[in-house]
Amino acid sequence: MSTTPDLPVDKAPPDLRVGTATDVGLVREHNEDALLARWPVYVVADGMGGHAAGEVASALAIDVITQRLGAVGLTLPTVEDVGAAAEQANRRIVDQGRARSDQAGMGTTLTGVVAVARADGSRAWAVVNVGDSRTYRYAEGALEQVSVDHSEVQELIDLGVLAPADARHHPLRNLLNRSLGVHDDVEPDLFLLTPHPGERFVVCSDGLSDLVEDEQIAGVLRGSPQDPQLAAEALVRAALDAGGVDNVTVVVLDV
Ligand code: CA
C-alpha cells in the first residue's frame, strides 16, 4: 500500500489534552447522554425517547461515529467524512426505531469537534451539529458558541421576536427542529475552523447550557487554565448546583 507523506497522520498532537465529566443529574433516572473523547473525535450526544430509548439512540450515534471517524488510520477524516458519519448515524437510528416498537420515535442530538485534513493536507477543526447540544470555543478570554441550536427558540431569535436573554426560560426551549433518528435524511451543520494555539473547546449537552450562563462557563475555564479535567468536573458541578434537572455531559479539549 502506498502512503501519502504530505497528509497528517492520525496521531494526536502532544500538547492536546482532554477532560470529560457526565452526571445523571438530580431529577432523571437514566443518563441518556453519551460521549466520545478520543483523538480525533470529541463529541456529545443527548438522547431522547421513552423507556430509556434515548440511551439507545445516543449510544448508536456514538457507535457509528466511532466506527466512521474514530478508527486508527493513516490520515485524518475530511469534513465530508464528518457529515457522512452524522448522516449514517441518522439512518442507523431511524432503521432501528422502525424495527423495534419499544424504540420507536427515539432520537438524539450530536455535536462536537473533529480534527480533519483539508485538501491541501493542513489540519483544521470541523464542528458538527444536529440539535441543541453545544460546541463552544474559548480563546483569549472570550467564549464563543460555534454551533447554532436547531430549536424552535433559536428560530424565534433568528426572526427577531425573542431576545436571546429570554430564551433560557422559554416554554419551547426543549423543542428541537433537527435531530438524528427522526427523518430519513438529515442535514448536519458543519463549521470549519482554523486551529489556534491555546484555544479550548467545550462540548456539552443542554443539561449544562440550559442551567449555566455563558459567562459562568467562561469563568470556570478562566479558573482552570490548562486543566481540562478540572474544568469539565467544575462545569458539571455548576449544573448540579443550578438544580441538575437534566443529564449533564461536558467534554473540554485543550489545544
Ligand atoms: Ca438533555
Side-chain angles (χ1 to χ4, degrees):
M1 196 178 93
S2 68
T3 60
T4 310
D6 291 347
L7 289 174
V9 294
D10 181 12
K11 204 163 148 193
D15 50 352
L16 190 111
R17 288 182 306 151
V18 63
T20 66
T22 185
D23 199 287
V24 67
L26 306 174
V27 176
R28 301 281 173 92
E29 286 184 4
H30 300 275
N31 191 342
E32 301 190 325
D33 290 353
L35 67 88
L36 172 64
R38 201 179 61 222
W39 176 261
V41 185
Y42 305 88
V43 294
V44 165
D46 176 352
M48 57 217 110
H51 302 292
E55 278 171 74
V56 176
S58 59
L60 282 173
I62 294 298
D63 193 37
V64 171
I65 296 297
T66 303
Q67 287 173 23
R68 286 290 300 250
L69 305 176
V72 176
L74 183 69
T75 60
L76 290 171
T78 64
V79 66
E80 289 80 13
D81 293 333
V82 177
E87 288 168 32
Q88 188 181 338
N90 178 63
R91 282 192 297 275
R92 175 103 172 261
I93 298 164
V94 167
D95 289 347
Q96 187 159 324
R98 283 186 186 143
R100 297 192 44 165
S101 60
D102 59 329
Q103 294 169 0
M106 66 177 172
T108 185
T109 72
L110 177 74
T111 194
V113 59
V114 183
V116 294
R118 286 184 163 122
D120 65 1
S122 66
R123 186 178 291 167
W125 294 114
V127 170
V128 60
N129 185 55
V130 180
D132 69 345
S133 297
R134 287 184 176 173
T135 300
Y136 294 93
R137 179 175 174 272
Y138 177 83
E140 288 162 11
L143 187 75
E144 169 204 5
Q145 184 184 331
V146 180
S147 61
V148 179
D149 296 349
H150 296 139
S151 64
E152 295 295 331
V153 157
Q154 182 63 45
E155 274 199 359
L156 295 177
I157 292 171
D158 293 344
L159 289 169
V161 297
L162 182 71
D166 297 327
R168 190 173 296 275
H169 306 290
H170 197 281
L172 295 179
R173 69 185 178 282
N174 293 318
L175 263 192
L176 301 187
N177 49 25
R178 222 185 291 182
S179 56
L180 298 183
V182 177
H183 298 293
D184 283 342
D185 293 303
V186 71
E187 191 185 333
D189 282 347
L190 292 164
F191 308 86
L192 204 57
L193 307 179
T194 299
H196 291 284
E199 68 192 340
R200 315 178 83 180
F201 289 97
V202 175
V203 184
C204 66
S205 59
D206 65 343
L208 178 73
S209 48
D210 267 2
L211 294 175
V212 181
E213 305 270 355
D214 288 5
E215 304 87 80
Q216 196 183 346
I217 295 174
V220 168
L221 294 173
R222 217 166 284 132
S224 58
Q226 297 166 10
D227 194 338
Q229 186 58 36
L230 191 71
E233 290 172 11
L235 288 169
V236 167
R237 205 174 314 117
L240 297 178
D241 288 347
V245 295
D246 196 0
N247 308 144
V248 54
T249 299
V250 179
V251 175
V252 177
L253 178 66
D254 284 8
V255 184

